[in-house]
Structures are given as C-alpha cells and as structure tokens.
Amino acid sequence: MEITLQGKTAFIAGGTSGINLGIARAMVREGARVAVLSRSQDKVDAAVAELNDIAGASTTLGFAADVRQGDAVEAAMAEAAEIMGPLDIVVSGAAGNFLAPAEALSSNAFRAVMEIDLLGTFHVMSSAFRHAREGKASFINISAPQASIPFWGQAHVCSAKAGVDMLTKTLALEWGPKGIRVNAIVPGPIANTEGMARLAATPELEEIAKVSVPSRRFGEADEVATAAVYLASDQAAYVNGAIFCVDGGQVVGGATLMQPDVLNMMSS
Ligand code: HXC
Ligand code: NAP
C-alpha cells in the first residue's frame, strides 16, 4: 500500500520548528505543497528555505502571524488558498508551555496558554473550514498527553489541551457530513524539541519523563510525522474524530504517579 500526498495542499500553523516542522518536511517529501505560519519572520523564512530545498522548487509559502489573532490567521489562510488552491490538509500545532505550579500562574499566564493552544486552534479550524477543498479535507490538531492525564506544573496546558481534544471531536461530528475529517495527534515526549527542553530541563527530569513512558524512551519527530501523513492521506478516509496517540503508551501508563518530585526539583 503506497501512501502519498501527491497534488495535495497543506497549511501548517506552528510549522516552523520542532514536531510541526517535522510534519511539514514529511508532507513535502510525500508530494504536498505546503504553507507554514508562526510568529517569527526569521523562523518562517528559515522553514520555507528548508522546505523548498526538499521540494526542489520555490513552492512553499510562509506567513508570520499569531494564532491568537483570528483575523491574521484568516488573512494568511485566504492568501494561501488563493495561491495554492483549496486546502486538502490543515494542521494546527502552535502551542506555548512552561512548568509552573498552579498557584504561581497569573491570570495572564493561564490566559496566554489557553489563547495560543485552544483559541488559536479554534481560529485555525474556523479558517480551515472556509478554505478547505469542498467535500474532502483532513484537519489535524496537535494535542498532548496533558489533555487526558493531569501533570504536575501543567494546570494551564492540561486545561488547554483537554479543550483541543474536545474541540477536535465536536468538529469531527459537525463537519464529518461535509467530507471534512478532524483528528488529533497526541505526541508523547519527543526528543530534541522545545517542549521537552522546557519540561525536562535536567537529566533527573528527563529520566522521570522516560520512566513515565511504557516504551521507556522519548519519541522522534519523524514518528509523529508518519502518523500525520497517514491521517492526511486518502488511506485514512474513514478515520474521523480520533485522538491518535504516538506516545509510547504514556497516556495508558498514566504519567502522574511518576512526577511527585517534579515541583521540588523545579524549586531547588
Ligand atoms: C510562570 C510564566 C512563565 C513561567 C511566562 N509566564 N513564563 N509564569 N512561570 N515559567 C507568564 C508571564 O509572566 C506572563 O504573565 C504570561 O505568562 C505571558 O507571558 P509572555 O512572555 O508575555 O507571553 P508571550 O510572549 O505571549 O509568550 C507565550 C509563552 C512563551 C507561552 C509564555 O513561552 C512562548 O511563546 N512559547 C512558545 C514556544 C513553546 O512554548 N514551545 C513549546 C511547546 S511544547 P504576567 O502576569 O507576568 O503578565 C508543548 C508541550 C506539551 O506545548 C506537552 C509535552 C509532553
Ligand atoms: P516548538 O518547536 O516550540 O513549536 C511551536 C511552534 O508554534 C513554533 O513554530 C512556534 O513558532 C509556533 N508558535 C508558538 N506560539 C505561536 C503563536 N502564538 N502563533 C503562531 N505560532 C506560534 O514546540 P514542539 O515541542 O515541537 O511542540 C509542537 C507541538 O507539539 C505543540 O502543539 C505541542 O503542544 C505538541 N507536543 C509536543 C511535545 C514534545 O515532546 N515536544 C509533546 C506533546 C505535544 P514561533 O515562535 O515563530 O511563533
């Protein structure tokens, strides 16, 4: 069975680094034409250059915008669809994270993560609906184990990503009859990412994170990208509303028991 994205268009919000850039690379390799969006113009330019190298042509589009601004997301996606044609694939992966005990979170700290992860995903999904190929499109939200397991120092992220999972399922229900599939990917802890640099900044925390994964290792960005390519492909035509874990079993293992010392380590 050959999985290909040949001839498809993809818009990847947060696609300029880490896991989401890995997804963009894989989609370009499989033949999709890709647009990426994030806040930093420098990161956008670097990602576009790298993706053009893979494509062997200057076909990648880049947009500097903040997913918290619905109008800016809409303008970028409208321009992308105008240039590339209707969108076959939309990935919503922008997110913010830091470790902080709940009592240390200001209203603005909690709001910042809710607005990037959850409101941002709503903005990306709303625009995606308007610019999707009629009758056949695949939308993928990047969630996290935090959506279903409480983690120490992650009250803001757990709340936001739980919302992302439920938004995913609700949109799958509402948009399925229109030919739009909406799924989420739950990466476990992934090596060499900003996320894990923030959550496991010391060898001790890294060890705790690894022990919390039944497969006893961090995942690779490529392993997440393979799942994204599958969900985006026609082979996944009957997959809708799935919360698709690429997490070495972390969600079924339950990370909470492994982390009682995390807050102590943060403050020492
Ligand atoms: C407590 C903190 C804090 C910290 C920031 N804040 N860091 N509070 N502890 N460590 C507070 C600030 O004081 C401020 O509140 C509020 O949060 C907003 O901060 P700003 O810096 O003004 O916000 P902004 O510039 O919008 O940046 C958003 C951000 C930032 C989330 C804080 O870190 C960011 O841009 N992150 C994007 C990259 C990222 O996080 N990548 C990792 C994604 S990984 P006050 O009250 O002072 O105004 C991920 C992993 C999930 O999501 C699962 C892994 C297993
Ligand atoms: P990352 O490299 O920091 O990626 C985040 C991306 O989002 C960057 O391209 C960033 O670029 C962009 N971004 C951040 N805030 C934005 C905003 N307000 N508007 C637009 N773009 C914004 O992080 P990562 O670790 O690879 O994580 C990627 C995704 O995977 C996130 O959804 C995260 O929650 C999820 N995840 C990660 C892990 C992990 O182990 N790393 C585990 C589970 C889930 P700019 O800075 O230019 O905006």
Side-chain angles (χ1 to χ4, degrees):
M1 179 180 63
E2 193 196 344
I3 291 182
T4 175
L5 302 180
Q6 205 61 47
K8 291 190 187 288
T9 57
F11 188 103
I12 304 177
T16 63
S17 63
I19 292 171
N20 305 316
L21 178 57
I23 291 171
R25 286 190 197 105
M27 289 190 172
V28 170
R29 271 189 230 114
E30 297 309 325
R33 183 172 182 189
V34 166
V36 292
L37 173 149
S38 83
R39 293 165 300 176
S40 152
Q41 186 69 58
D42 286 350
K43 283 178 71 172
V44 169
D45 292 344
V48 166
E50 185 188 334
L51 295 168
N52 279 340
D53 276 351
I54 297 172
S58 301
T59 49
T60 308
L61 303 178
F63 299 93
D66 192 318
V67 293
R68 287 171 282 196
Q69 308 299 325
D71 291 351
V73 171
E74 172 59 23
M77 227 182 282
E79 191 178 334
E82 178 72 30
I83 296 169
M84 304 196 297
L87 302 174
D88 299 294
I89 304 159
V90 176
V91 178
S92 176
N97 200 355
F98 47 82
L99 270 176
E103 65 274 20
L105 288 170
S106 67
S107 171
N108 200 34
F110 191 84
R111 182 188 300 115
V113 170
M114 290 298 286
E115 286 192 351
I116 300 169
D117 293 25
L118 182 52
L119 183 63
T121 297
F122 175 72
H123 289 152
V124 172
M125 290 291 101
S126 300
S127 288
F129 181 80
R130 286 189 280 278
H131 300 291
R133 188 174 302 285
E134 204 176 334
K136 190 180 170 198
S138 171
F139 299 168
I140 301 168
N141 296 321
I142 307 302
S143 183
Q146 280 84 337
S148 47
I149 309 172
F151 278 71
W152 295 78
Q154 293 280 271
H156 45 331
V157 176
C158 291
S159 305
K161 291 291 192 181
V164 168
D165 275 11
M166 196 45 93
L167 180 62
T168 300
K169 293 180 202 177
T170 311
L171 298 182
L173 185 73
E174 290 195 18
W175 295 347
K178 300 176 193 301
I180 297 173
R181 299 183 291 110
V182 189
N183 296 293
I185 293 178
V186 175
I190 302 301
N192 306 313
T193 57
E194 181 64 26
M196 287 321 291
R198 288 170 182 236
L199 296 189
T202 66
E204 290 94 330
L205 289 173
E206 207 171 286
E207 212 35 55
I208 289 172
K210 279 184 186 152
V211 171
S212 75
V213 178
S215 296
R216 293 290 189 269
R217 68 170 175 88
F218 284 178
E220 301 296 328
D222 275 353
E223 294 176 308
V224 180
T226 300
V229 167
Y230 165 67
L231 288 174
S233 75
D234 293 346
Q235 276 79 5
Y238 202 52
V239 183
N240 187 25
I243 307 296
F244 196 103
C245 293
V246 186
D247 69 338
Q250 188 178 49
V251 167
V252 292
T256 309
L257 293 177
M258 298 302 164
Q259 305 221 346
D261 291 332
V262 167
L263 293 183
N264 289 337
M265 287 185 192
M266 284 163 55
S267 56
S268 64

